[in-house]
Every structure is written in structure tokens, then in C-alpha cells.
Amino acid sequence: MVPNYRLFNQSEVRLALTAGLSAGLTITLGLPDPMYAPMAVAAVLSGTLGNSWTLGVQRIQGTILGGLILFIGHNTIATSMPMPIGIGISLACTRIFGGSLGLRSGYKVAGLVVVMGWTVHANSINSWLPIRLLVTLIGVLLSLIAINAFWPSRALAEHKKLSQSLFNGFAEALQERVQHLKIGVDMQAEIKRQRRDGLLSKLMALQNQRPAALVELGADRNGERLLRLWDLEEQFFTELIGYYRTLLRLPMLPMDGPELQNLLEVELDVLSFIANQLICYANIWPNPLTKQDSHQWSSALEAAEQQIYENPKVMDALLASSGGRRAMVCNQLLQAIERFQNNWIALA
């Protein structure tokens, strides 16, 4: 079967149209060197609005930094030393000052301004620098308009989507574990690693998305609430990863006797309840939450364990297989859900 590859996607079409529009606009305005506008579009228009905003600001900062260094260097050291040495000193200054200002990519733009200004526009630096900055601004502004208006790619929306995907991912993982426990057949070790690594990769993607989302986050009360909710959910997901890994490591619960069978059924009910709660969280996140009581499940687990304590033979079989730890993990999951709900409600 031949894979179904797409020739292009929406982001590529948006990039091509915006780059062409920026070039056409600079030509229409009669500005020289119109290629700098599409260059700015290509460098800025990537990922989400948060990423594009960060890259756009850095590109403008880099252009200004490079222009200042070029203007000062060309009017001072250019008259006293050969051009290669002067360019080398100027480039070193862009790296030093760019690093001091925290520019991750902007210093590269500064270097480009220095090199192009010193070599190609040496006779018209005073007039070329303002035009270079204006053309860059046109490219950056068109990029931000495009990514916000045409097939929007907002970091906040992406962060919310990743959060919901993680809630659903943990719910599916717990539901899958319930099905295997019901039939008493465990998953292969490779499949367990895939499930665990898949959840970890989603959690890392959520954490990596956070800086771009922070750029779009407002400084109002709602922005502060979202920021605290992000801290809360990352802590919750980290707890869930640990408990899920423990569930995967534990062996199948022995089925000898009604006490063990009853404990298994209660544990499956608890895991199913938690999975349903996670699906509920995915549907409403990050809106205010109505608390769901989980105390009945804690009481059911406690009652099922008490039956086992009253039968020494069943207790020995349970401890020998480490099956008792599953009930403890279920209790820990219920406590984690309870804490998460209480903190979520408190942030409403």
C-alpha cells in the first residue's frame, strides 16, 4: 500500500502566500532590496503565534543591534584597518552583545546586517539601514497577521489541545489496563514501554509548548489563573506517570478465592472511575470544575482489603504476588484525583 503523502499543508501555503505578499508590498512601496521582507517572513512564520512573536521581536532587535554596530564600526575602525579585520571585530561584537541581550537567533540577523552593509551597501549605509529595518518590520508584521488570521496557530490553543490529549491518553491507558486485568493476560514488555514512552513524550511536548504559550498569556487575573493551572496539571501528570508505571510492573492478581476476586473487581471499578474522570477533565479543561466525590471508592477498597486481612491464607497468596500493591496504587490515584480537583476548584 502506497502511503498517502500530502503535497503541502496549510502552514506551507500560508508561508508561501505571506512571503509573496511581503515581497509584492515592498516592491509596490518602491523600497529597495525587497528580498529582505520574505526572508523575515520565512524566519518568523513558524510554529504558533507565540513562537512567531518571539522570533519576530528577536529579528527586529537583531536588525537594530546589527545596524548600530555597523554604523559605529564603519565610521570608526573602517578608516584605520582592512575590511576583513573590521568585519571580524564587528561580528564578534554582535555575538557578545547579542548574547548579553539574550538573543537566541537575533544575533545571526545582526551579523547578516553587518556583513551586507559593510560589503554591499558600504557607500549608502546611512540610507540603507532605516530601509532595511522598515522592510524587516513589514515582513514581521505580515507574518504575525497571517498566523493570527489565516489558519490561526495559537500557542494557547495548542497547549490546551496537548493538555486534553494527555488527559485522554491517561484515560485510555488505564482503560486498557482494566481490560487486561479482567482477562488475566498481561501486555508484552515492548508494548508496555511504548505506552509509557508515548505518555512521556506527550508530557514533554506539553512542557516544551509552555514558553510559546506564555508569550500569549495575558497579565490579567485569567492569565495568572491559567499559569497556576499549568503548574497544577504538570504536577498531576507527573504523578500519574509514576502510578501508571507501577501498575504496569505489578503482576496479575491471583484469582484464588472470593476475597481476591472481590478486591480485583473493586480495583477495576476504581481504575474505570479514574479513567472516566480524566475524560471529563479533558472535555472541560481549563474551565471551572464541579467536584466529583471519590470517597465511596476509597471506602470500597478499604472494605475489600479488610476481607483479605481476615483470611491468613489469602493474605499470604496476595503478598507473595505483590498484588496488594495494586490496591495501594489505586488508593494513591484516588488521593491524587482528590488533590487535583480541590486545587482546580480553588483556582476558579
Side-chain angles (χ1 to χ4, degrees), residues 162 166 199-210:
L162 287 171
L166 258 174
L199 292 172
L200 282 172
S201 64
K202 286 183 178 181
L203 179 55
M204 292 180 63
L206 179 69
Q207 294 171 341
N208 292 335
Q209 184 67 26
R210 183 164 176 164

Side-chain angles (χ1 to χ4, degrees), residues 37-341:
M39 287 173 59
V41 170
V44 171
L45 193 57
S46 62
T48 61
L49 177 61
N51 285 327
S52 295
W53 175 263
T54 301
L55 291 173
V57 170
Q58 291 223 355
R59 194 164 187 87
I60 294 172
Q61 290 175 332
T63 302
I64 295 174
L65 175 63
L68 290 174
I69 293 175
L70 173 64
F71 180 79
I72 295 173
H74 196 265
N75 289 291
T76 53
I77 60 178
T79 59
S80 59
M81 61 183 62
M83 181 180 66
I85 298 177
I87 293 178
I89 294 174
S90 298
L91 289 176
C93 290
T94 63
R95 187 64 184 92
I96 293 172
F97 290 111
S100 301
L101 295 173
L103 300 181
R104 297 181 179 179
S105 59
Y107 71 88
K108 299 178 183 177
V109 182
L112 178 63
V113 171
V114 167
V115 173
M116 293 298 295
W118 207 303
T119 57
V120 179
H121 305 283
N123 296 325
S124 58
I125 286 180
N126 293 338
S127 60
W128 175 74
L129 284 177
I131 295 174
R132 174 71 169 83
L133 179 60
L134 176 60
V135 173
T136 298
L137 281 172
I138 290 174
V140 171
L141 290 176
L142 287 178
S143 298
L144 295 177
I145 293 172
I147 204 169
N148 193 40
F150 304 106
W151 301 307
S153 299
R154 301 188 65 88
L156 283 176
E158 289 295 322
H159 193 279
K160 177 182 177 181
K161 183 178 178 181
L162 287 171
S163 298
Q164 294 172 330
S165 176
L166 258 174
F167 282 122
N168 285 323
F170 277 111
E172 293 172 3
L174 291 178
Q175 289 171 340
E176 182 183 42
R177 195 60 184 158
V178 166
Q179 295 303 317
H180 281 87
L181 289 171
K182 279 184 178 180
I183 62 177
V185 177
D186 208 352
M187 292 185 293
Q188 297 179 357
E190 181 61 27
I191 298 178
K192 289 183 178 182
R193 284 194 294 271
Q194 290 175 2
R195 298 291 187 271
R196 178 201 63 197
D197 293 345
L199 292 172
L200 282 172
S201 64
K202 286 183 178 181
L203 179 55
M204 292 180 63
L206 179 69
Q207 294 171 341
N208 292 335
Q209 184 67 26
R210 183 164 176 164
L214 283 172
V215 177
E216 299 178 15
L217 201 62
D220 54 5
R221 183 178 182 276
N222 185 57
E224 181 182 353
R225 173 181 173 271
L226 276 178
L227 184 60
R228 296 175 67 181
L229 278 175
W230 293 350
D231 292 334
L232 178 63
E233 71 166 348
E234 288 186 17
Q235 179 183 357
F236 180 57
F237 288 145
T238 302
E239 288 184 85
L240 289 184
I241 283 283
Y243 297 141
Y244 178 65
R245 292 176 65 180
T246 302
L247 285 174
L248 291 179
R249 289 197 302 266
L250 293 177
M252 293 289 108
L253 188 68
M255 306 292 288
D256 302 330
E259 296 91 347
L260 291 175
Q261 180 65 37
N262 180 59
L263 177 61
L264 175 60
E265 291 176 357
V266 174
E267 290 171 350
L268 297 182
D269 288 340
V270 169
L271 294 177
S272 297
F273 165 76
I274 294 172
N276 291 332
Q277 285 295 102
L278 294 174
I279 293 173
C280 175
Y281 297 162
N283 292 332
I284 65 175
W285 180 264
N287 298 320
L289 171 72
T290 301
K291 184 177 179 180
Q292 298 293 323
D293 190 15
S294 60
H295 289 100
Q296 58 174 326
W297 299 109
S298 300
S299 301
L301 271 175
E302 184 179 352
E305 290 178 299
Q306 187 62 39
Q307 291 181 358
I308 293 176
Y309 299 152
E310 296 171 357
N311 189 332
K313 292 184 179 180
V314 175
M315 189 66 183
D316 291 341
L318 184 65
L319 293 177
S321 63
S322 299
R325 289 192 61 193
R326 186 173 295 110
M328 180 171 60
V329 173
C330 289
N331 265 316
Q332 291 171 331
L333 281 168
L334 288 172
Q335 292 171 9
I337 286 281
E338 186 76 14
R339 289 193 301 270
F340 180 67
Q341 287 189 145

